[in-house]
């Protein structure tokens, strides 16, 4: 009996020893790709230390892309040194409708989109975006005979080559920069330095961390313009930070609005303020049906049946906002060549002058400020000359301001210099009239506000007798006001001394009275002081 009991206990002990080995068997840790946006170096180091793999460290963004155990993500989110944790979302190109070209000679004269943009005139004027650095963040660029690629980088995981294996990036590249030669088509800005930044794969798909690396690369390598014919459906804070940083660093960022046919809603990053959002138009200057629209649309450009370079030295037609965006990128490159000293913000504003207004008058949700179009300097010179002449006749500030705006479109040359001198004379006469009126007002009102306004007006004047005369008149007003302040101060202190009757208040009042000039007021105040006994 005892032997049976011992055997039963032994079996039970064996089971309790064996069973937990199965119930406690460790399950494989689930890993996830995230982007850690840190507040400081301590936060960055924490993310790196807790990661399974570091996928990317960014130069211009406070972020690091890592692979990490899902269980650790929550602790990272709660870390006070980390701003937030972003999911490594999937993005894709603004999908296009493609078909091969049957024409063996699609010259610029036969391409409606380039006719709309007046590129033949730009070529005649030798405005080609020469040496402007343009980065195309896309599927790469195929080594096409009608393209010249200055360099680039691949950020997809299966190849170190930026060679296009989809066709989309090559089509975008041709729209911007197809060479001006005797065959094929020609780009809007055939003289740019073209850079292929491969952030999308052969399916036209990519992830957020690769796109951020591409933007980071563009900033580091001092690109002038970034073209993004791709997007995400949702707002992504770190993507916004990336394009904002690029813009603050002086780059222009252009993006397709999206091809979902949505009205009142555009994709990201096109929707961000630092990005120029582009909608697509047709040959008849109507809105392409697939184009997304909304308040963020800044410009529009041809996006329907656009012919451009493709894989294997072919030329294909494509439709989409992906095709519209590079037209705007090319136009900005032309402006960059014409106005190399203007900032990215100034060029962005200047592009409004190179548009054809479509749809509702002024800026609207479908076409923005209008469909872009190259305008020769001769047209702007004629408008500026007329505006200067009008300002010389009217001598009003409003007309001078309008003339200056029109002159800002001109490149630096002798004609612009001559107009500048003429408008300076008109402005000088207006400034003198203004300064005279404001000095007169100051003499009448004798207030600090009127004095300040008059002084500002005088500072605008060039050195000369007129400026010296007005300054002397204003100085008299200033002295008068300053003296009246002393009188007021003395009166207040005497009144205080009469009320409190202390040595301190009387001494303070006496000191204030002594600063006054000999006058009835001073005599009266002194008599009042003398009557105070302390």
């Amino acid at each position: 009996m005892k032997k049976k009991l011992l055997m039963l206990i032994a079996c039970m002990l064996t089971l309790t020893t064996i069973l937990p080995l199965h119930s406690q068997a460790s399950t494989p840790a689930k890993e996830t790709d995230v982007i850690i946006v840190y507040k400081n170096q301590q936060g960055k180091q924490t993310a790196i230390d807790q990661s399974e793999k570091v996928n990317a460290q960014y130069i211009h963004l406070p972020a690091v892309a890592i692979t990490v155990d899902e269980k650790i993500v929550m602790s990272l989110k709660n870390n006070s040194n980390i701003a937030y944790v972003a999911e490594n979302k999937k993005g894709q190109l603004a999908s296009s409708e493609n078909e091969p070209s049957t024409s063996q000679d699609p010259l610029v004269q036969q391409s409606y989109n380039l006719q709309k943009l007046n590129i033949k005139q730009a070529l005649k004027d030798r405005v080609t975006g020469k040496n402007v650095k343009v980065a195309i963040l896309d599927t790469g660029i195929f080594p096409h005979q009608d393209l010249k690629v200055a360099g680039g980088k691949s950020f997809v995981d299966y190849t170190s080559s930026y060679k296009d294996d989809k066709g989309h990036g090559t089509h975008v590249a041709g729209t911007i920069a197809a060479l001006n030669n005797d065959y094929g088509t020609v780009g809007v800005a055939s003289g740019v330095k073209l850079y292929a930044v491969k952030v999308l794969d052969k399916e036209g798909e990519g992830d957020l961390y690769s796109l951020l690396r591409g933007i980071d690369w563009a900033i580091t390598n001092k690109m002038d313009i970034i073209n993004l014919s791709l997007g995400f459906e949702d707002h992504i804070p770190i993507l916004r930070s990336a394009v904002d940083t690029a813009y603050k660093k002086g780059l222009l960022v252009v993006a397709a609005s999206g091809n979902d046919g949505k009205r009142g809603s555009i994709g990201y990053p096109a929707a961000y303020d630092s990005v120029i959002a582009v909608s697509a138009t047709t040959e008849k200057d109507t809105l392409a049906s697939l184009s997304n629209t909304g308040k963020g649309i800044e410009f529009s450009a041809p996006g329907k049946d656009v012919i451009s370079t493709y894989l294997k030295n072919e030329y294909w037609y494509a439709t989409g906002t992906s095709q519209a965006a590079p037209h705007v990128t090319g136009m900005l490159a032309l402006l960059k060549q014409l106005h190399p000293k203007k900032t990215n913000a100034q060029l962005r504003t200047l592009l409004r002058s190179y548009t054809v207004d479509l749809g509702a008058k002024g800026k609207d949700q479908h076409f923005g400020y209008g469909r872009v179009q190259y305008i020769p300097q001769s047209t702007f010179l004629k408008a500026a000359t007329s505006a200067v002449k009008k300002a010389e006749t009217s001598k009003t500030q409003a007309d001078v301001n309008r003339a200056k705006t029109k002159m800002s479109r001109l490149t630096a040359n002798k004609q612009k210099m001559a107009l500048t001198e003429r408008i300076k004379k008109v402005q000088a006469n207006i400034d003198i009239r203004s300064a005279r009126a404001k000095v007169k007002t100051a003499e009448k009102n004798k207030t600090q506000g009127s004095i300040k306004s008059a002084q500002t007006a005088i500072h605008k004047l060039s050195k000369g007798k007129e400026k010296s005369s007005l300054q002397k008149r204003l100085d008299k007003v200033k002295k008068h006001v300053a003296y009246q302040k002393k009188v007021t101060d003395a009166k207040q202190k005497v009144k205080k001394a009469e009320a409190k009757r202390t040595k301190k208040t009387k001494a303070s009042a006496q000191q204030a009275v002594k600063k006054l000039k000999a006058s009835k007021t001073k005599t009266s105040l002194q008599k009042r002081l003398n009557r105070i006994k302390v």
Side-chain angles (χ1 to χ4, degrees):
M1 185 70 179
K2 288 182 178 179
K3 286 183 178 180
K4 288 182 178 180
L5 183 60
L6 288 171
M7 289 178 66
L8 180 61
I9 293 170
C11 288
M12 290 177 69
L13 287 171
T14 303
L15 287 171
T16 57
T17 303
I18 295 172
L19 288 174
L21 290 176
H22 293 287
S23 62
Q24 292 178 4
S26 59
T27 57
K30 288 186 177 181
E31 295 181 346
T32 183
D33 291 337
V34 293
I35 298 167
I36 307 298
V37 182
Y38 51 82
K39 296 179 181 178
N40 49 44
Q41 286 301 308
Q42 189 174 344
K44 177 182 179 181
Q45 195 58 50
T46 298
I48 292 173
D49 290 343
Q50 296 194 28
S51 69
E52 297 294 327
K53 178 185 176 183
V54 177
N55 298 313
Q57 295 187 53
Y58 303 100
I59 297 173
H60 302 282
L61 301 174
V64 56
I66 63 172
T67 299
V68 65
D69 188 329
E70 284 185 344
K71 296 177 181 178
I72 298 176
V73 173
M74 186 56 67
S75 67
L76 290 172
K77 287 181 178 179
N78 295 328
N79 191 303
S80 60
N81 296 310
I82 291 174
Y84 58 89
V85 178
E87 178 187 348
N88 184 29
K89 292 188 176 182
K90 298 294 182 181
Q92 59 185 12
L93 53 82
S95 58
S96 309
E97 300 172 3
N98 303 315
E99 60 177 292
S101 167
T102 56
S103 171
Q104 297 300 312
D105 188 30
L107 297 174
V108 64
Q109 290 86 351
Q110 299 170 321
S111 302
Y112 90 88
N113 55 309
L114 298 179
Q115 289 182 24
K116 291 285 185 182
L117 266 67
N118 200 22
I119 297 307
K120 188 175 181 180
Q121 181 63 51
L123 292 170
K124 185 178 179 181
D125 294 346
R126 297 183 180 180
V127 182
T128 62
K130 185 177 181 180
N131 294 328
V132 176
K133 298 170 76 174
V134 176
I136 299 176
L137 276 61
D138 212 291
T139 58
I141 300 177
F142 191 84
H144 197 286
Q145 62 184 354
D146 210 6
L147 294 172
K148 183 178 180 181
V149 181
K153 185 79 173 179
S154 173
F155 293 109
V156 296
D157 57 12
Y158 63 89
T159 178
S160 60
S161 170
Y162 54 71
K163 182 180 178 181
D164 188 5
D165 46 14
K166 171 68 174 175
H168 189 271
T170 305
H171 198 278
V172 168
T175 301
I176 296 171
L179 299 174
N180 181 26
N181 46 33
D182 295 329
Y183 58 87
T185 185
V186 65
V188 174
S190 56
V192 302
K193 287 187 175 181
L194 199 60
Y195 292 83
V197 185
K198 188 175 178 68
V199 296
L200 301 175
D201 61 21
K202 57 187 176 183
E203 303 300 327
E205 298 176 347
D207 53 28
L208 177 59
Y209 105 80
S210 295
L211 176 57
L212 295 179
R213 290 179 74 189
I215 295 172
D216 203 48
W217 183 93
I219 298 171
T220 299
N221 288 275
K222 298 181 179 180
M223 297 292 111
D224 294 307
I225 311 171
I226 296 174
N227 188 93
L228 298 169
S229 290
L230 48 79
F232 298 81
E233 290 185 2
D234 303 315
H235 162 58
I236 305 172
I238 185 58
L239 178 57
R240 181 174 190 167
S241 295
V243 292
D244 285 355
T245 298
Y247 192 61
K248 289 175 183 176
K249 293 284 185 179
L251 284 74
L252 284 157
V253 185
V254 181
S257 66
N259 297 334
D260 304 307
K262 294 180 180 178
R263 298 295 176 259
S265 177
I266 61 179
Y268 298 91
Y272 298 130
D273 291 341
S274 58
V275 179
I276 298 171
V278 185
S279 63
T281 59
T282 68
E283 187 172 2
K284 295 182 179 180
D285 273 340
T286 59
L287 183 72
S289 59
L290 52 64
S291 181
N292 288 358
T293 62
K295 291 181 180 179
I297 296 296
E298 196 161 343
F299 298 101
S300 55
K304 176 72 173 174
D305 296 330
V306 174
I307 190 169
S308 186
T309 50
Y310 205 68
L311 303 180
K312 301 178 181 179
N313 282 321
E314 293 179 347
Y315 296 87
W316 280 48
Y317 288 100
T319 294
T321 55
S322 281
Q323 282 58 55
H327 286 90
V328 172
T329 295
M331 281 296 302
L332 287 166
L334 300 186
L335 299 193
K336 180 69 176 175
Q337 178 193 338
L338 287 169
H339 304 274
K341 293 183 179 180
K342 286 188 183 294
T343 66
N344 58 342
Q346 290 172 330
L347 291 173
R348 185 176 181 175
T349 300
L350 181 61
L351 185 56
R352 299 175 190 177
S353 300
Y354 288 80
T355 58
V356 175
D357 192 12
L358 302 178
K361 188 175 181 180
K363 188 176 186 293
D364 62 70
Q365 294 189 27
H366 286 180
F367 306 99
Y369 290 103
R371 192 252 302 147
V372 292
Q373 173 185 283
Y374 173 77
I375 298 174
Q377 283 290 296
S378 57
T379 300
F380 287 135
L381 178 60
K382 184 177 179 180
T385 302
S386 177
V388 169
K389 188 175 182 180
K390 184 177 180 181
E392 288 172 331
T393 302
S394 69
K395 296 180 174 62
T396 63
Q397 189 63 58
D399 283 339
V400 168
N401 291 341
R402 277 189 281 270
K404 287 179 178 179
T405 298
K406 293 184 184 297
M407 288 166 57
S408 69
R409 302 167 183 168
L410 302 177
T411 56
N413 55 36
K414 290 181 179 179
Q415 292 165 314
K416 184 177 181 179
M417 288 176 62
L419 290 176
T420 300
E421 289 303 313
R422 286 170 61 183
I423 208 66
K424 276 183 179 180
K425 290 179 180 179
V426 180
Q427 185 66 67
N429 288 329
I430 292 174
D431 290 343
I432 288 173
R433 293 203 314 268
S434 176
R436 286 173 182 169
K438 289 182 178 181
V439 168
K440 189 174 182 179
T441 299
E443 289 172 330
K444 179 181 178 180
N445 297 340
K446 297 180 176 65
T447 61
Q448 288 296 337
S450 62
I451 290 172
K452 185 177 180 180
S453 179
Q455 188 61 75
T456 299
I458 290 172
H459 282 324
K460 290 181 180 180
L461 305 182
S462 300
K463 290 182 179 180
K465 292 181 179 180
E466 185 75 39
K467 183 174 184 177
S468 298
S469 175
L470 290 173
Q471 188 62 60
K472 286 179 181 179
R473 287 170 57 185
L474 187 62
D475 288 342
K476 288 181 181 180
V477 178
K478 288 180 178 179
K479 287 179 181 179
H480 175 80
V481 172
Y483 182 71
Q484 289 304 312
K485 187 177 180 181
K486 289 180 182 180
V487 172
T488 300
D489 182 56
K491 287 179 178 179
Q492 290 174 345
K493 288 182 176 179
V494 168
K495 187 176 181 180
K496 186 177 181 180
E498 289 173 330
K500 291 192 174 182
R501 294 179 178 273
T502 64
K503 287 183 179 181
K504 186 177 180 180
T505 56
K506 186 174 181 179
S508 178
Q510 186 61 71
Q511 188 176 8
V513 171
K514 282 183 178 180
K515 293 178 181 179
L516 303 183
K517 299 175 183 177
S519 63
K520 290 182 179 180
T521 301
K522 182 176 183 178
T523 301
S524 174
L525 290 173
Q526 188 61 58
K527 286 180 179 180
R528 287 167 61 185
L529 267 178
N530 293 340
R531 289 197 292 266
I532 298 173
K533 293 181 180 181
V534 296

